[in-house]
Amino acid sequence: MAAMAVTVAMFIAFARGRMSVEIISLLTIAVIAVGLYFFPLEGHQKIDGLGIAFGGFGHHALITICALMILGRGLVVTGALDPAARLLEGLFKLNLQLGLLVSLLIAFSLSMVVNNTPVLVLLMPIFVSLAARGAMPASKTLIPLNAASLLGGVSTTIGTSTNILVVSIAVDLGMKQMSVFHFTPIVLTASLIALPYLWLVMPRLLSDNSVTDAAEARRFYTRLRIAGDSSLVGEEISAILTRLPKGIAIVDQPSGPIQPQQRLLISGTHEALEDATRILKGELAPSWVLDRIRRESSSKDLDIHVVEMTVTADSRLISRTLPTSGIADLHGVAVLGIHRPERLLGEKDEYSEGGDLRIAEGDVLLVMGLPEELQSFARSDSLLMLEGARELPRRSKALLAGAIMGVSVFTAAVGIFPIAISALAGAILMFVTGCVKFDRVGRALSAKVIVLVAASIAIGRIIDESGAAQWLGEALGLGLQYLSPAAVLAAIMLFVTLLTNFASNATAATVGTPIAFSIAKQLGLPAEPLVLAVLFGCNLCYATPIAYQTNMLIMSEGSYEFKDYIRTGLPLVLLMVTTLSVLLVMRYGM
């Protein structure tokens, strides 16, 4: 009773949202630790309760989640997934709804034969990158994507480790072995109803949690230097306007064909300017200074940063242009563009005779360089460095990071190693090869997710070891004798769903499968549909972030709250329980 009370209290606190997830999680762990110290479980000593309460911090599930976060970070900081993101970006630009539907179908299909955790690990950084490029916000895509991968995982006996566990227990209890696609038609039929909900309804139930700051909205004026091997050479400006990235504008359109090394005056956001350099094969600063920065970065093993700096009233740069400022020679940094606040636009002497923008007080410079040189530049020329500095992707290690992720996913997918081992090995390789810097690992990990995982593991153990799960199952068996077969299946599925969303999939499988066999004997029903009801219920883990490790993986990336899972997951759970129960009755003629 106490174990169930703690679980319900934690759920209510999460749902109300008045305290942070971290505080609720730590309070839950503390209550379990203190409670079991003064009131130990039968056959246990006082000190044993500490292992139950704090064991989650050393649990393989938490290690796996942290390792997967580091792997995902490696793909992001090296830009390894940029090509895949650009392909999907083209689809989203064609039609947002079409792009989302194709993505959901990809996640669903892959998860039928590959464990859904590595599938989501591969797809999640792509959608975070897509959101940064202006596609659908990550908060509107990650929960539907996760739900699609979970839905695909329930379609086959090898889709998730939970499916394998349920089938193995059922075989031990005397049921015939199921083939890989034994119940796939049932799930595919139910998916015809569930996927439209994921595609059309679920994103509308989620808010846009993306952080929009002033830096992202700034438009920078710059000169794009056309390389000699660019495909633009010899073309008219009017012919390339359609190929320009979204958000790029040509300020001063030259007449005649484009010449090698010609400089085009353009404006756009930082992201748009980066896309322009890639598409148009140009540079935003003199090539000699960019090459020098890259060489020093490689030799010193330092990351290249891009920061924004505001020009103050006593800066020597005021009234100068970039060519006359000598910034590159003096400080070894490259100014990629100048943002002119609206209040300063239209000032006299805005441009020099050569057409370059004169720097004024209040302008924001977009500057690229190594950290030490950037600090020196800001101090010497009286510039105020703004928040939000970001590192450029270490593209030289993109292939290496992709290979590490690919091997980790492959070895886990085909069963060579457990996901915990392959993910941890991949994370270590990310550190050893320099794809992820160890001193930046804090950016990959989420403290909220770490304590939430630890608390959920503690709750699962106390629900299991206190006998609460077994007691609930026995109470369920007493009440089912008065229900119709369809209602019996729905009740078993809901019971197991409740366990899997608040304890764990393994607990739900190990408790629910024997109960299903017992109920089948009591009511004179075939065991197989009841076992399938357990299997399906173990996978309906949509309603809480603690239900499954992929739910927690997306929590920090999508900036989700507990109520986001409840709002989108509960309707899906009810939809799937109803549909699957009816399909099982029809399939087995009950």
Side-chain angles (χ1 to χ4, degrees):
M1 295 296 290
M4 289 188 288
V6 171
T7 304
V8 171
M10 183 184 74
F11 174 77
I12 293 173
F14 278 139
R16 293 181 70 184
R18 295 190 177 180
M19 288 192 296
S20 68
V21 169
E22 298 94 316
I23 298 299
I24 297 170
S25 301
L26 290 174
L27 283 174
T28 301
I29 293 171
V31 167
I32 293 173
V34 173
L36 291 180
Y37 183 79
F38 289 104
F39 304 97
L41 295 172
E42 186 176 351
H44 289 68
Q45 298 181 357
K46 289 184 176 182
I47 200 70
D48 294 339
L50 299 180
I52 294 175
F54 299 112
F57 288 106
H59 197 274
H60 67 85
L62 179 57
I63 304 301
T64 301
I65 289 172
C66 291
L68 291 172
M69 287 181 177
I70 293 168
L71 283 171
R73 176 71 179 173
L75 295 179
V76 171
V77 298
T78 60
L81 291 177
D82 282 356
R86 285 196 290 270
L87 285 176
L88 277 176
E89 182 186 11
L91 194 57
F92 272 91
K93 282 182 178 179
L94 184 64
N95 186 284
L96 281 177
Q97 293 301 324
L98 177 62
L100 181 58
L101 177 60
V102 171
S103 303
L104 294 176
L105 291 175
I106 290 173
F108 179 88
S109 302
L110 288 176
S111 296
M112 290 180 66
V113 292
V114 178
N115 187 285
N116 53 358
T117 299
V119 169
L120 192 72
V121 170
L122 273 177
L123 293 176
M124 183 174 66
I126 295 177
F127 279 81
V128 172
S129 176
L130 278 174
R133 292 171 176 271
M136 293 184 74
S139 58
K140 286 183 173 290
T141 58
L142 291 184
I143 281 185
L145 199 70
N146 179 50
S149 71
L150 291 171
L151 190 60
V154 75
S155 303
T156 62
T157 56
I158 62 171
T160 67
S161 57
T162 309
N163 295 5
I164 298 172
L165 180 60
V166 171
V167 172
S168 299
I169 295 173
V171 170
D172 291 341
L173 292 173
M175 199 177 77
K176 291 182 179 180
Q177 179 69 49
M178 295 183 186
S179 64
V180 173
F181 300 103
H182 185 80
F183 46 83
T184 301
I186 298 175
V187 180
L188 290 180
T189 305
S191 301
L192 294 176
I193 299 173
L195 280 174
Y197 171 77
L198 303 185
W199 177 35
L200 300 173
V201 179
M202 192 176 272
R204 289 177 169 81
L205 298 177
L206 295 165
S207 57
D208 184 355
N209 296 338
S210 55
V211 179
T212 303
D213 56 32
E216 292 179 354
R218 293 192 183 104
R219 295 185 64 86
F220 295 91
Y221 293 86
T222 187
R223 293 278 187 180
L224 179 67
R225 294 157 174 81
I226 305 298
D229 60 345
S230 173
S231 59
L232 300 183
V233 174
E235 292 194 36
E236 298 286 342
I237 287 292
S238 57
I240 67 166
L241 291 178
T242 56
R243 290 152 56 185
L244 292 175
K246 183 180 178 181
I248 288 290
I250 297 180
V251 179
D252 184 18
Q253 295 191 18
S255 58
I258 297 176
Q259 303 298 320
Q261 306 304 322
Q262 185 171 347
R263 300 194 305 163
L264 297 178
L265 180 59
I266 63 174
S267 69
T269 62
H270 183 198
E271 293 288 343
L273 292 176
E274 284 189 347
D275 286 341
T277 61
R278 175 179 53 83
I279 294 173
L280 306 181
K281 290 187 179 180
E283 298 283 8
L284 301 178
S287 57
W288 64 267
V289 67
L290 295 177
D291 290 340
R292 187 171 73 179
I293 292 172
R294 290 164 185 150
R295 284 196 304 270
E296 290 186 6
S297 168
S298 179
S299 63
K300 297 179 180 179
D301 195 25
L302 295 173
D303 288 327
I304 300 174
H305 288 229
V306 175
V307 300
E308 295 176 350
M309 301 181 181
T310 300
V311 180
T312 62
D314 55 348
S315 174
R316 74 168 184 90
L317 301 177
I318 292 177
S319 297
R320 295 176 183 264
T321 63
L322 290 181
T324 62
S325 64
I327 294 173
D329 293 305
L330 293 173
H331 304 288
V333 298
V335 178
L336 305 180
I338 303 174
H339 168 72
R340 175 64 49 89
E342 290 186 7
R343 60 185 176 80
L344 297 179
L345 290 176
E347 298 263 333
K348 291 183 178 180
D349 298 326
E350 190 171 335
Y351 291 94
S352 68
E353 293 181 1
D356 292 299
L357 191 65
R358 294 186 184 277
I359 300 172
E361 179 189 353
D363 282 353
V364 178
L365 307 183
L366 186 66
V367 190
M368 184 179 90
L370 302 182
E372 187 176 342
E373 282 77 5
L374 290 171
Q375 293 283 355
S376 173
F377 173 47
R379 287 193 304 268
S380 301
D381 284 349
S382 302
L383 302 171
L384 180 63
M385 193 176 296
L386 302 181
E387 296 282 341
R390 73 184 190 91
E391 301 163 5
L392 288 184
R394 294 189 287 277
R395 300 193 187 278
S396 62
K397 296 185 181 292
L399 286 177
L400 182 58
I404 292 172
M405 172 62 88
V407 172
S408 298
V409 170
F410 177 78
T411 54
V414 300
I416 297 176
F417 299 116
I419 183 66
I421 299 298
S422 61
L424 183 59
I428 293 172
L429 283 174
M430 286 286 188
F431 289 134
V432 171
T433 58
C435 294
V436 176
K437 299 294 181 65
F438 193 80
D439 58 349
R440 314 283 172 81
V441 70
R443 300 184 185 184
L445 304 179
S446 167
K448 176 170 69 174
V449 171
I450 289 173
V451 294
L452 179 60
V453 173
S456 69
I457 291 170
I459 282 289
R461 288 194 62 184
I462 193 67
I463 285 287
D464 189 21
E465 297 191 24
S466 67
Q470 189 68 36
W471 182 85
L472 287 170
E474 292 170 358
L476 176 68
L478 292 175
L480 291 183
Q481 57 187 317
Y482 306 106
L483 301 179
S484 66
V488 169
L489 290 169
I492 291 175
M493 211 177 299
L494 282 171
F495 165 68
V496 176
T497 300
L498 184 69
L499 281 183
T500 201
N501 275 277
F502 292 99
S504 70
N505 305 80
T507 298
T510 53
V511 171
T513 307
I515 290 174
F517 264 85
S518 175
I519 293 172
K521 289 181 180 179
Q522 291 177 32
L523 304 183
L525 296 173
E528 186 171 301
L530 274 68
V531 169
L532 287 180
V534 172
L535 186 147
F536 294 153
C538 287
N539 287 279
L540 299 182
C541 40
Y542 311 114
T544 66
I546 64 177
Y548 196 63
Q549 60 188 17
T550 57
N551 295 19
M552 299 185 198
L553 273 177
I554 63 173
M555 192 173 190
S556 58
E557 292 290 0
S559 301
Y560 292 125
E561 297 179 4
F562 201 90
K563 60 185 178 182
D564 292 320
Y565 293 87
I566 299 174
R567 183 168 56 247
T568 59
L570 276 180
L572 182 57
V573 167
L574 296 176
L575 185 66
M576 291 296 291
V577 167
T578 304
T579 307
L580 290 170
S581 299
V582 172
L583 290 172
L584 284 173
V585 169
M586 294 172 61
R587 166 76 179 272
Y588 291 93
M590 299 172 65

